[in-house]
Every structure is written in structure tokens, then in C-alpha cells.
Amino acid sequence: MTNTIDSAETDQPVKKPLRITKILLMVMAVAIGSGAYMLSGLGMDQTLDTQYWVQLGVMFALAMAFHIVLRLRAPFADQYILPLALTLNGLGLAMIHRLDLVPPGTNLANNQLLWTALSVIISMAIVWFIIDYRHMRRFTYVWLLASAILLILPFLPFIGVEIYGARIWVNLGIGSFQPGEVAKLTLAIFFASYLSANRDLILLAGRKLGPLTFPRIQDLGPLVVAWLVAMGVLVFQRDLGSAVLFFGLFMSMIYLATSRLSWIILGLVAVGAGGIIAVNLFPHVQARIDGWLNAFDMDMIYAEHGSHQVVQGLFGLASGGLFGSGLGEGRPDLVFAANSDMIIASFGEELGLVGLAAILLIFFMLVTRIMRIGLSSRDAFGKLLAAGLGCAMAIQMFVVVGGVLRVIPLTGLTTPFMAAGGSSLLANWMIIGLVLLISHTANRPMVAGPMVNASGVGSGAAVPGQPVEAGER
């Protein structure tokens, strides 16, 4: 029996629809951010000055420029990722601007807008210049080396800077930068590359213990590397949040690669051992735990590096109630680092439970779309990379919100896209660029080409994984 296919149908290039929905979503995203920016100023009795129109123009120009780049280079990319990221970025700019207006005032909103422009441009460059993200898997240990260099940079003389007890910054002359934020991305690429290449070996070899299959000693290398990285960051950089994030990133990716509960058990044992060591040997970790367990003790509230920050954040959330005080009408500035570590508490006070739930829902939708991209990817590297980055963002949000709500100790991690700080913004927009590339490759249609059928006759059927042309479905 011969396979037949309508050659006229396969030879026709795919038409590019206008994607009006995507344009409308991006306009809506810019409108939400700029509207919040305007309301925060009006709530502080400010007029709509030139700064507001500059913010509106820059965000709209960046959105349209990114749309054009995607149209030309990655037209099959997920159409919801970019509007969701723009919405979060715009809301963060609005809250930072609102806090800038509190006397004596700062200029962080303008700096954040500059970092937004730079970050979005770099994200566009990733989409434009990386022809095929799958080439990155060839440089497995280069990504590991890059991660090590980024994590070591803060310890170098002259450029390493210690801020608020954590040595995670480098001085670039024009400002400080946190290289560990970019290391989150390079470590994810390393883990995805290593696990996609060695998945079968890790999966098939091992010793059975009841219903569980545990890996061989020689296959535990990645777990040991991840644990050492996390402990090194915790001990030397005094950054509990990044340590949790890095190890959580690896554990989620190894579970996605193998679907084996034994890896989770081993990971929990490693976390437990590391936590016991850290609490008993390192005072800064013990201080974090004490501040969490005894947050409302007067001695702890007024102690240096005590619980004053988290307690003030809880009071702000409580005063916001269900609908909040309104943008510009509350006092989130009473909380230390209200525009960075505690920006979730700032939104909770002025937008209330309803507004904060809406923001968390946007994050949930963004993570869900990224995970869907991982599921739809046609190659193991793309699946692990997209799903791992989605898990990293989910873990980061859990750690941030859990710390603000006192569910877990406050760690100092920043809220993606929203908190003041250029390094976090840059790293997360780089993630968006990579995720858009993966979704484009996953969604593009098959190419028309010869396929040999059972009788040895070419049928002109589609070849999986190759594009017909750069067009829209």
C-alpha cells in the first residue's frame, strides 16, 4: 500500500496571520503598567509630568520592537509569554516610582527603566542571533565553568562588594551587579545539557531497594555538584535564598529527567544534612532561623538583622485588607527594602488581597505557559531547559512570598520582573528570550519533503522537526 498526500497542500507555504490577539495583549500589558504608574503618582498628589510619558513611550516602543523581532525570527513563539512579562515589569516600575516619591526621594524608577530597556534589548538579541538553541547543549562543561566564574566574581578583590551582610555583588564602576542571577540561567543550561545526554545511563543503571531504584555512586556527580554549589553560596556568600534556588533547580530537573522518587529522597537527605551543618556552624543562618521562629519577640524585632523587616511587612499586609489602601495611599515605605525584597508586601498593602492575588495569578500563568512549552518541545534538552526554568521561577516566587508571609525564613531573593535591581531583571528577561526560542522550535510546522513509503516510492510527506518557512500557524 502506498502513502499519498496532496502535494499541492504540502508545497504551499504557511500563511502568516496577523496575530491581532498578541498585539492587543501587549497593548493591554503596557496599559496596565502605565496606568498603575499614573495612579501611583496621582495618589501622591503628583501631576502627569514628562517622566510618565517617557515611561509610557519606552515600554510601548520596547513591546512593539519585540513583537517585530518575534515576527521576523520566531513567529511561532508562544504569544502569551511576552505580554505577561511586560505586565509584571510595568507593575514593578509603578511601585518603585511610587516609593521614589516619598521624601527625601530617590531616582530608582529611572534606573529601573534603563535596566528594563537594556534587558529587553538583550532578550531580543537572544531571539535574533541564536539560530538554534539546541547548539548550546554541545558546551556542557563550558556552562558549568561559566557558572563557577560568575559565583566566584564577588570574592575577587577590588570588584567584590558586601551589602547587608551578603557578598554577592560586584562593582562595575557605574553600579553594582549580582552575577549569581545570571548563574541561575547558566546552571540551568548545564543541568539540561548534562541530563539530556546522560538520562538513559542514570535511568537504567542503579541498585533496587524495594520499589525504589537508587543511582550508582558514579552517577551521583551532578547531585554532589549541585549540593556543593548550594552550600558554597550559603557559607561563603551568606545568601540563603540563592542556595535554596540553585539546589531546588537541580532537584526539579533531575526529577523531570528521571521521574524517580529516589532522587528526591537523596536530595532531601542532602538538604537536611546541609541545613543541620549550616544552623550549627554559621551564625548568619542561625540568625535567620531565630528571626523566623521568634519574629514577634521584642528583643528580636530590635536586634541587628532581626525580624523588624518581616514584622513591618506583615503589618502592612494586614492594613491593606481585602482591597488595599489604593496606589499612593498607604505607607509601604515604612518597610525596609520595600522596593526590592519586600515589594510583595508593598503591593499587598496598597492593592489588598485581591490585587496581590491577581499579581500572583499572573506569575502562575507565566510559569504555566513556560511549563507547557517544556511539554511541547520535541527534544530532551529543550524539554528540560524550559521546564527547569519554569520550576526555578516557581521556586523563587514560593521562597519570596513565603518569606514575606513568614511561612519560611526571609531569604532576600527578589521578585522576578518587579523588584528594583538590574541583575535580576536582566537574568529574567534572558530567560524569556530562551523560552520564546524553545516555543518557536516546538510550535513550527513540518517541512514538505520526500518520505519513502513501504513500496520505496517517495510520497512528499512532511519531515518532522523542520519548518516549512518562518511563518505563523
Side-chain angles (χ1 to χ4, degrees):
M1 183 177 64
T2 57
N3 297 324
T4 60
I5 191 167
D6 187 354
S7 60
E9 180 179 314
T10 58
D11 291 340
Q12 290 296 322
V14 177
K15 300 290 185 181
K16 291 185 181 181
L18 294 177
R19 285 245 172 153
I20 298 298
T21 302
K22 183 177 180 180
I23 297 176
L24 290 177
L25 285 173
M26 286 198 295
V27 171
M28 186 182 299
V30 175
I32 291 172
S34 297
Y37 199 97
M38 176 187 68
L39 291 174
S40 64
L42 294 177
M44 298 288 290
D45 298 324
Q46 300 291 314
T47 58
L48 298 182
D49 55 8
T50 306
Q51 185 176 358
Y52 166 75
W53 299 108
V54 169
Q55 186 270 347
L56 175 60
V58 169
M59 293 302 291
F60 184 77
L62 290 173
M64 291 301 104
F66 213 142
H67 172 70
I68 293 172
V69 169
L70 290 177
R71 181 75 175 173
L72 295 175
R73 302 295 285 185
F76 298 101
D78 188 288
Q79 63 178 337
Y80 299 103
I81 295 290
L82 183 57
L84 291 171
L86 286 170
T87 301
L88 294 170
N89 201 155
L91 288 172
L93 277 169
M95 181 54 69
I96 295 169
H97 170 66
R98 178 257 178 275
L99 292 167
D100 281 351
L101 298 176
V102 178
T106 59
N107 197 34
L108 288 177
N110 288 336
N111 292 337
Q112 190 77 352
L113 186 60
L114 289 174
W115 273 107
T116 297
L118 176 63
S119 302
V120 174
I121 290 171
I122 291 177
S123 185
M124 287 190 285
I126 289 173
V127 175
W128 187 271
F129 291 108
I130 298 180
I131 306 300
D132 190 343
Y133 70 89
R134 290 169 292 191
H135 294 319
M136 293 190 297
R137 66 176 296 180
R138 301 175 182 174
F139 310 102
T140 302
Y141 294 100
V142 173
W143 296 113
L144 179 60
L145 178 62
S147 303
I149 293 173
L150 287 169
L151 293 173
I152 290 172
L153 281 178
F155 298 104
L156 298 181
F158 306 113
I159 64 171
V161 180
E162 182 174 321
I163 301 177
Y164 303 133
R167 194 175 182 86
I168 57 177
W169 305 88
V170 294
N171 185 5
L172 301 179
I174 58 174
S176 57
F177 185 78
Q178 187 177 342
E181 287 286 346
V182 181
K184 172 178 63 178
L185 178 59
T186 56
L187 277 173
I189 298 174
F190 162 69
F191 289 144
S193 178
Y194 180 89
L195 293 173
S196 62
N198 298 277
R199 176 182 177 275
D200 292 339
L201 179 63
I202 296 174
L203 197 59
L204 296 176
R207 181 183 298 275
K208 289 189 69 68
L209 184 61
L212 301 176
T213 301
F214 287 90
R216 302 175 302 174
I217 297 297
Q218 56 265 43
D219 294 331
L220 289 176
L223 179 63
V224 174
V225 169
W227 188 81
L228 289 176
V229 167
M231 289 300 296
V233 169
L234 178 62
V235 173
F236 297 108
Q237 294 189 347
R238 299 186 175 185
D239 187 4
L240 177 61
S242 294
V244 172
L245 178 61
F246 290 155
F247 196 75
L249 169 66
F250 172 75
M251 290 310 302
S252 61
M253 294 183 73
I254 189 66
Y255 181 74
L256 289 168
T258 64
S259 299
R260 280 190 174 171
L261 189 61
S262 57
W263 282 100
I264 302 297
I265 295 174
L266 290 172
L268 291 175
V269 170
V271 167
I276 293 172
I277 293 171
V279 169
N280 287 283
L281 295 183
F282 308 114
H284 64 278
V285 178
Q286 183 63 57
R288 291 275 184 169
I289 301 298
D290 290 342
W292 171 52
L293 295 176
N294 309 300
F296 289 94
D297 289 357
M298 296 302 295
D299 292 340
M300 185 59 64
I301 290 176
Y302 294 105
E304 185 179 5
H305 306 300
S307 60
H308 183 266
Q309 182 184 23
V310 68
V311 169
Q312 286 291 94
L314 290 172
F315 286 152
L317 288 168
S319 66
L322 188 61
F323 297 106
S325 60
L327 285 171
E329 301 292 336
R331 289 302 308 272
D333 55 284
L334 296 177
V335 183
F336 176 71
N339 55 13
S340 54
D341 296 3
M342 301 294 289
I343 198 167
I344 288 293
S346 301
F347 276 109
E349 179 176 349
E350 299 207 329
L351 297 183
L353 177 62
V354 173
L356 187 56
I359 291 173
L360 295 179
L361 184 60
I362 296 173
F363 274 111
F364 176 77
M365 289 190 291
L366 180 59
V367 171
T368 301
R369 297 304 302 184
I370 295 175
M371 297 298 289
R372 284 172 60 92
I373 290 168
L375 288 173
S376 62
S377 180
R378 297 168 183 162
D379 63 288
F381 176 67
K383 285 180 181 294
L384 287 174
L385 182 56
L389 292 174
C391 288
M393 191 171 294
I395 293 169
Q396 186 164 347
M397 280 306 301
F398 172 78
V399 171
V400 170
V401 177
V404 171
L405 297 179
R406 200 173 159 245
V407 175
I408 60 175
L410 191 66
T411 61
L413 277 181
T414 56
T415 307
F417 300 105
M418 302 184 79
S423 49
S424 174
L425 198 59
L426 175 61
N428 285 291
W429 273 108
M430 291 172 69
I431 289 174
I432 292 298
L434 271 179
V435 167
L436 288 171
L437 276 178
I438 297 171
S439 68
H440 165 69
T441 303
N443 295 334
R444 61 186 181 181
M446 308 296 186
V447 68
M451 179 180 291
V452 178
N453 55 34
S455 60
V457 179
S459 64
V463 176
Q466 300 296 329
V468 176
E469 69 165 24
E472 299 270 0
R473 268 204 290 202

